[in-house]
Amino acid sequence: QKEVEQDPGPLSVPEGAIVSLNCTYSNSAFQYFMWYRQYSRKGPELLMYTYSSGNKEDGRFTAQVDKSSKYISLFIRDSQPSDSATYLCAMSAIGGAQKLVFGQGTRLTINP
Amino acid sequence: SAVISQKPSRDICQRGTSLTIQCQVDSQVTMMFWYRQQPGQSLTLIATANQGSEATYESGFVIDKFPISRPNLTFSTLTVSNMSPEDSSIYLCSVQPRVETQYFGPGTRLLVL
């Protein structure tokens, strides 16, 4: 079993829809949770990060962490064609070199 | 955030040769990381490089195959040695200016024939 599981998709939705992206994990030591966006032929771009449980909102993006269920989510409201990319969840435990463990990535397409 | 550049952006190499990838950051950072992203796959950590100490390699990666240098707080190199087609991948460096964040470079796309 992988430490981090993410549905690879692909996921295709119409413009304006609410998108829900999810990851599950098995390591209870994970405390930092991040979402990256990666456009084709580019490096991953940090979208949001959260520490421990709870919600965090930034514009059209909301990140949720439920540590009791070992489940994290990223919601995109009013999705735009420019949101079309691969979304990667990543997480790390406290201390040490903060090694990031990534999910497989979900390829998202927003159709105009 | 940090601005990270990598050279080369892409390369096509013959098997058995070596390629050195450079990573430059616009600010001083203690920790730098090297990742590999194979086609259609997620990112896998190769090693962690701290200035002034030996790099720490993850399981499945060895120094003879992926030697790393970290001469100062803004620069690092990763060499892919004695390449085979299985080394074809995107190689990414990242930095961690704060404990909760890592920022990535644009990547180096390597094709080994």
Side-chain angles (χ1 to χ4, degrees):
Chain A
Q1 182 187 5
K2 294 181 181 179
E3 276 191 291
V4 179
E5 298 276 0
Q6 183 177 6
D7 186 340
L11 180 62
S12 182
V13 301
E15 182 176 357
I18 297 175
V19 177
S20 173
L21 304 168
N22 311 294
C23 290
T24 59
Y25 62 95
S26 58
N27 188 346
S28 58
F30 288 145
Q31 295 285 346
Y32 295 100
F33 304 91
M34 297 153 214
W35 285 95
Y36 286 85
R37 177 174 63 193
Q38 186 173 26
Y39 290 114
S40 180
R41 300 184 179 280
K42 301 288 186 182
E45 170 195 8
L46 180 64
L47 271 178
M48 299 185 71
Y49 64 88
T50 53
Y51 171 69
S52 194
S53 285
N55 295 357
K56 187 172 185 179
E57 186 174 322
D58 184 1
R60 296 184 295 110
F61 298 89
T62 300
Q64 289 185 351
V65 175
D66 181 349
K67 291 191 67 183
S68 62
S69 301
K70 296 188 177 65
Y71 187 86
I72 70 171
S73 300
L74 178 70
F75 297 96
I76 307 174
R77 293 185 300 278
D78 188 24
S79 56
Q80 304 295 311
S82 59
D83 295 327
S84 298
T86 296
Y87 289 80
L88 298 138
C89 64
M91 45 200 81
S92 67
I94 289 180
Q98 298 293 318
K99 167 187 170 182
L100 282 183
V101 180
F102 280 85
Q104 190 173 351
T106 299
R107 179 178 288 185
L108 173 66
T109 300
I110 309 297
N111 300 304
Chain B
S1 65
V3 178
I4 305 167
S5 60
Q6 287 185 233
K7 290 181 181 180
S9 60
R10 62 177 63 218
D11 208 342
I12 300 174
C13 301
Q14 297 296 318
R15 69 172 66 207
T17 63
S18 297
L19 176 71
T20 295
I21 302 168
Q22 299 178 7
C23 179
Q24 181 76 51
V25 189
D26 68 340
S27 58
Q28 294 184 338
V29 291
T30 302
M31 308 193 79
M32 295 181 77
F33 304 84
W34 286 97
Y35 287 82
R36 181 172 73 183
Q37 187 174 28
Q38 294 182 303
Q41 301 297 314
S42 190
L43 283 75
T44 301
L45 181 63
I46 297 172
T48 302
N50 290 341
Q51 193 269 337
S53 63
E54 295 284 332
T56 302
Y57 289 82
E58 296 298 307
S59 176
F61 298 97
V62 295
I63 187 171
D64 290 346
K65 176 67 175 178
F66 297 101
I68 288 171
S69 78
R70 183 79 201 274
N72 58 53
L73 291 172
T74 63
F75 187 79
S76 179
T77 67
L78 169 77
T79 298
V80 185
S81 304
N82 188 24
M83 288 184 285
S84 67
E86 291 71 34
D87 295 319
S88 297
S89 189
I90 301 171
Y91 292 85
L92 298 133
C93 68
S94 73
V95 301
Q96 185 180 300
R98 296 187 306 278
V99 68
E100 67 273 15
T101 58
Q102 277 192 31
Y103 298 100
F104 284 82
T108 296
R109 285 154 183 78
L110 171 62
L111 176 63
V112 184
L113 302 177

